Amino acid sequence: DWESAIRLGVLDCGEEENYETCKEYGIHYYPTFRFFKAFTKQFTTGENYKGADRELQTVRQMMIDFLQNHSQELRPPACPPLDPVPSSDITSLFDKSSHHYTAIVFESNNSYVGREVILDLIQYENIIVKRVLNFDKPFLEKLGITSVPSCYLMHPNGSHGLINSLKPLRSFFSSYLKSLPGVRKKLLLPLQLPAQENKEESTETKVWKEFDKAKLYMADLESGLHYLLRVELATHKTLEGAELKTFKDFVTVCAKLFPGRQPVVKLLETLQEWLVSLPLDKIPYDAILDLVNNKMRISGIFLSRKVQWVGCQGSRPELRGYTCSLWKLFHTLTVQAALQPKALIHTGLEDNPQIVLQVMRRYIQHFFGCKACAQHFEEMAKESMDSIKTFDKAVLWLWEKHNVVNNRLAGALTEDPKFPKVQWPTPDICPTCHEEIKGLHSWNEAQVLQFMKYHYSSENILYKYAESQTDSSETEQGDTREGKDKSLLKKPSGNRENKIQDKENTLDSESKVLDKLIANHGPVKDSDKSAVRSGTLKEAKQAVSFLGIGFSNIDMSLCVILYVASSLFLMIMYFFFRMRSKRWKVKYYRSS
């Protein structure tokens, strides 16, 4: 009903086609409310909603405040006056006939009922709604008004009186006024919205993927990483301070513990080494995205550019998906930390059983889009996370808290009817996890731990539906890489010894990125810059062998330069002595 004065629009930032728009408008969390004033000519990202809470009534009242904050010349033409009128203006209307009804809502200064009723009736003709504040007590007594809000009605024939049979609620007032004789909805032209020409073409029929709920699917884990690195992180244009530290630790944990395919693991390792090598305390997100998208053309690294939910697919597009995959990702990381306690050695994160959970806690706090979810997780972390003393306890802690969340969300609007929130693992996939003591259900935590360590292990991962590098439109090497990628599907963690291969290709690119970052963020101390360059040169020398004899590309380049320089020197010396010899011969013959 308020459409003529203020339009409502919804943009789903979880949809791939909206990623760039949400990034451009700086949408960090969901739901985010933005207000855009009428007749705005220049580009603006809008005004952020700053309400006390996100209850429907509060948001509606903030919309009214936003409308009232328009200057008179920028107010939407269809928006009626929302400010209160003085009681003297009402007195002048008495005993006068009119062509329409006039409804007056008497209310207190902090009430929104009058303004809501005014907006409810803007699309109806033969009625005008005004609001009056209850400051003039004698005037209210004269009209017989004893409480506010109250509605007073003036008929077209000049008669008037208080409407007594209503509860003092907006819905009652609006409904009664709309039902008056002669009050009808105006014939309005439909809103002219931009035509969506390619809607039918772009709408793809989502094919349901059959899956085994006792298995873990690599497509879910890689899709989660894709969404995290390319969508959720994209809302932060620059990473610095606690955000940058959190992201570095997250990438380090993933690079060391993620049981992925070799191209994905190599991408994470490259990203981690690059982040560690930078001496900057502020990094633009675009630089990170360039590396994730492999703009430097490093061979052998790849991460799918689209979501492919399998075990995390929902019965509707907005259900499950990323949140499900994030849970699976952190369960996997806690289990891998328990199975490989020495994996994080020499990273600065070793010897800490809580490290994966702490990184998860900080990531959710700084980056996760759902702020209400982040607050709930933080409350759970404060209660008991500090008491964890072993890697096995960390696995069980996350399992227990996931079930707490499932219990809280059971029956909520976000629950997928096809996948109800239940206590997991269910008896059909882990019967030994469940016990009954004195008629009450109980968990056998030893069996739960054993189940978790198997369920989130490399051996239980299926690669069906996972996109290979040859399937992607971003394939760099074409068919020459096809055989490699098919073999990679069968190797969860890949052969990490091969990570040294092609490292020389990244040296110049990393140097260019470093120069770009330095240009964007001011000068870096010469010692820092030289340290980074020397460190990179050192890595490169250790990284690649040439023809199996231990020479790197840097070594070979120096050899070539030295060879060319030597050749030039010899040629210069040759011509010098030749010319000198000729001059000596001419001089000798003349004298003789």
Side-chain angles (χ1 to χ4, degrees):
D1 287 336
W2 300 8
E3 194 174 63
S4 303
I6 183 166
R7 296 181 186 178
L8 291 174
V10 180
L11 187 70
D12 184 357
C13 288
E15 289 294 328
E16 197 164 350
E17 60 267 24
N18 296 330
Y19 291 170
E20 286 301 317
T21 304
C22 295
K23 177 184 173 183
E24 183 182 11
Y25 281 82
I27 308 300
H28 288 194
Y29 308 110
Y30 317 113
T32 291
F33 294 90
R34 290 285 175 84
F35 293 107
F36 299 86
K37 287 189 175 182
F39 306 112
T40 303
K41 293 180 181 179
Q42 295 182 337
F43 174 81
T44 173
T45 57
E47 298 177 19
N48 258 326
Y49 165 87
K50 297 182 177 68
D53 54 55
R54 295 177 181 274
E55 295 298 322
L56 182 59
Q57 181 177 346
T58 311
V59 176
R60 193 169 61 240
Q61 291 172 358
M62 286 295 295
M63 289 169 60
I64 293 172
D65 290 339
F66 176 72
L67 271 175
Q68 286 193 277
N69 288 336
H70 275 71
S71 59
Q72 193 60 41
E73 61 272 13
L74 295 179
R75 182 187 293 271
C79 182
L82 297 174
D83 295 326
V85 298
S87 53
S88 57
D89 288 1
I90 303 302
T91 307
S92 63
L93 299 175
F94 287 142
D95 302 323
K96 287 184 180 179
S97 58
S98 174
H99 297 294
H100 55 75
Y101 292 92
T102 301
I104 302 106
V105 178
F106 291 89
E107 60 182 347
S108 60
N109 189 39
N110 60 354
S111 170
Y112 282 83
V113 172
R115 285 168 285 183
E116 289 174 340
V117 174
I118 291 173
L119 290 169
D120 286 344
L121 272 294
I122 60 175
Q123 294 195 37
Y124 287 79
E125 57 187 6
N126 299 326
I127 187 168
I128 291 177
V129 184
K130 300 177 181 291
R131 57 186 287 254
V132 178
L133 300 182
N134 61 338
F135 294 150
D136 194 344
K137 301 298 182 184
F139 182 66
L140 296 182
E141 292 175 4
K142 180 181 176 181
L143 298 179
I145 297 173
T146 56
S147 62
V148 290
S150 292
C151 188
Y152 199 88
L153 184 63
M154 296 182 180
H155 295 261
N157 60 8
S159 61
H160 50 84
L162 184 64
I163 304 172
N164 294 313
S165 59
L166 301 179
K167 291 182 179 179
L169 301 173
R170 166 210 175 191
S171 57
F172 278 74
F173 291 152
S174 297
S175 179
Y176 178 85
L177 297 176
K178 289 176 184 178
S179 65
L180 290 171
V183 175
R184 58 182 180 272
K185 200 164 189 178
K186 299 172 186 175
L187 293 175
L188 298 174
L189 292 174
L191 288 173
Q192 297 298 316
L193 297 177
Q196 298 179 355
E197 299 173 2
N198 300 325
K199 187 67 178 176
E200 293 182 3
E201 297 176 10
S202 62
T203 304
E204 298 179 3
T205 304
K206 297 291 183 182
V207 179
W208 184 259
K209 304 175 188 70
E210 295 299 328
F211 66 95
D212 183 353
K213 63 180 181 180
K215 295 292 184 180
L216 187 63
Y217 286 83
M218 183 54 69
D220 288 323
L221 298 177
E222 290 185 0
S223 295
L225 278 176
H226 151 73
Y227 189 95
L228 185 152
L229 292 171
R230 294 195 178 103
V231 181
E232 193 161 63
L233 205 67
T235 62
H236 300 255
K237 293 184 178 180
T238 304
L239 299 187
E240 58 182 320
E243 286 184 355
L244 181 58
K245 176 70 168 66
T246 297
F247 182 64
K248 283 182 176 180
D249 290 348
F250 171 79
V251 173
T252 299
V253 167
C254 287
K256 300 299 181 183
L257 297 176
F258 185 69
R261 299 181 292 172
Q262 185 181 345
V264 179
V265 172
K266 185 175 179 181
L267 170 64
L268 293 169
E269 289 174 342
T270 305
L271 180 59
Q272 186 252 341
E273 291 167 6
W274 177 76
L275 288 169
V276 169
S277 70
L278 290 177
L280 305 172
D281 55 3
K282 183 187 294 186
I283 299 178
Y285 167 73
D286 286 342
I288 297 170
L289 183 63
D290 285 348
L291 202 152
V292 172
N293 288 340
N294 197 14
K295 289 290 182 67
M296 295 183 284
R297 301 296 177 188
I298 305 168
S299 63
I301 72 173
F302 168 76
L303 178 63
S304 171
R305 290 199 180 203
K306 62 181 181 181
V307 292
Q308 189 82 284
W309 308 126
V310 184
C312 285
Q313 63 189 319
S315 58
R316 298 199 304 272
E318 69 272 15
L319 299 176
R320 304 186 80 223
Y322 176 60
T323 50
C324 162
S325 71
L326 198 62
W327 277 112
K328 288 183 184 290
L329 175 62
F330 280 107
H331 279 305
T332 302
L333 295 175
T334 56
V335 166
Q336 292 299 319
L339 295 175
Q340 309 172 59
K342 295 183 178 180
L344 291 171
I345 198 166
H346 303 312
T347 63
L349 306 177
E350 60 268 24
D351 302 325
N352 183 358
Q354 302 172 19
I355 188 59
V356 175
L357 296 178
Q358 287 175 352
V359 170
M360 178 183 183
R361 178 182 183 178
R362 286 187 282 135
Y363 178 85
I364 290 173
Q365 181 184 359
H366 290 296
F367 298 108
F368 192 52
C370 174
K371 292 309 288 180
C373 310
Q375 289 169 2
H376 287 141
F377 190 85
E378 180 61 25
E379 289 168 5
M380 293 191 298
K382 284 180 179 178
E383 287 177 5
S384 54
M385 186 180 283
D386 292 339
S387 64
I388 297 168
K389 303 299 181 187
T390 65
F391 288 103
D392 286 352
K393 288 294 183 183
V395 174
L396 289 174
W397 186 92
L398 191 59
W399 158 77
E400 180 188 347
K401 298 309 176 186
H402 194 171
N403 273 339
V404 170
V405 173
N406 281 345
N407 189 53
R408 188 179 70 248
L409 296 180
L413 290 173
T414 55
E415 182 181 44
D416 192 327
K418 195 167 183 177
F419 300 94
K421 301 285 186 185
V422 295
Q423 299 300 285
W424 189 88
T426 50
D428 58 323
I429 60 173
C430 183
T432 57
C433 295
H434 299 260
E435 292 179 345
E436 194 172 287
I437 300 174
K438 296 181 180 180
L440 296 175
H441 176 268
S442 178
W443 291 101
N444 184 330
E445 292 196 352
Q447 290 296 320
V448 170
L449 179 62
Q450 186 177 337
F451 169 82
M452 294 287 287
K453 284 187 172 181
Y454 171 74
H455 186 79
Y456 290 103
S457 66
S458 302
E459 290 74 25
N460 196 45
I461 296 177
L462 291 184
Y463 296 86
K464 187 179 181 182
Y465 304 114
E467 184 185 16
S468 67
Q469 193 166 353
T470 52
D471 294 336
S472 171
S473 60
E474 297 298 317
T475 304
E476 296 170 14
Q477 301 295 333
D479 295 335
T480 58
R481 184 80 30 92
E482 186 174 2
K484 281 186 181 180
D485 283 340
K486 286 183 179 177
S487 65
L488 290 174
L489 289 173
K490 300 175 184 177
K491 290 169 61 179
S493 57
N495 182 3
R496 300 204 179 199
E497 295 172 3
N498 293 334
K499 75 176 184 177
I500 61 171
Q501 185 180 1
D502 300 320
K503 189 132 183 187
E504 70 275 19
N505 296 340
T506 69
L507 181 62
D508 294 336
S509 301
E510 285 188 358
S511 181
K512 289 175 184 175
V513 171
L514 179 62
D515 290 335
K516 178 182 176 182
L517 289 172
I518 292 171
N520 288 343
H521 295 276
V524 178
K525 290 181 181 178
D526 290 339
S527 58
D528 289 342
K529 187 172 178 179
S530 61
V532 175
R533 294 203 183 282
S534 63
T536 311
L537 289 170
K538 184 179 178 182
E539 286 179 10
K541 286 185 178 182
Q542 294 172 350
V544 185
S545 60
F546 183 80
L547 299 177
I549 55 176
F551 291 114
S552 73
N553 268 15
I554 300 297
D555 299 325
M556 296 306 299
S557 300
L558 290 172
C559 288
V560 170
I561 292 170
L562 226 93
Y563 179 83
V564 171
S566 301
S567 300
L568 287 171
F569 177 78
L570 288 173
M571 288 176 66
I572 291 169
M573 294 301 295
Y574 169 77
F575 284 114
F576 172 79
F577 283 109
R578 185 174 177 81
M579 292 299 294
R580 187 173 180 182
S581 173
K582 282 183 177 181
R583 286 170 61 189
W584 181 81
K585 285 180 180 179
V586 169
K587 185 178 180 182
Y588 175 79
Y589 285 126
R590 282 179 180 176
S591 60
S592 62

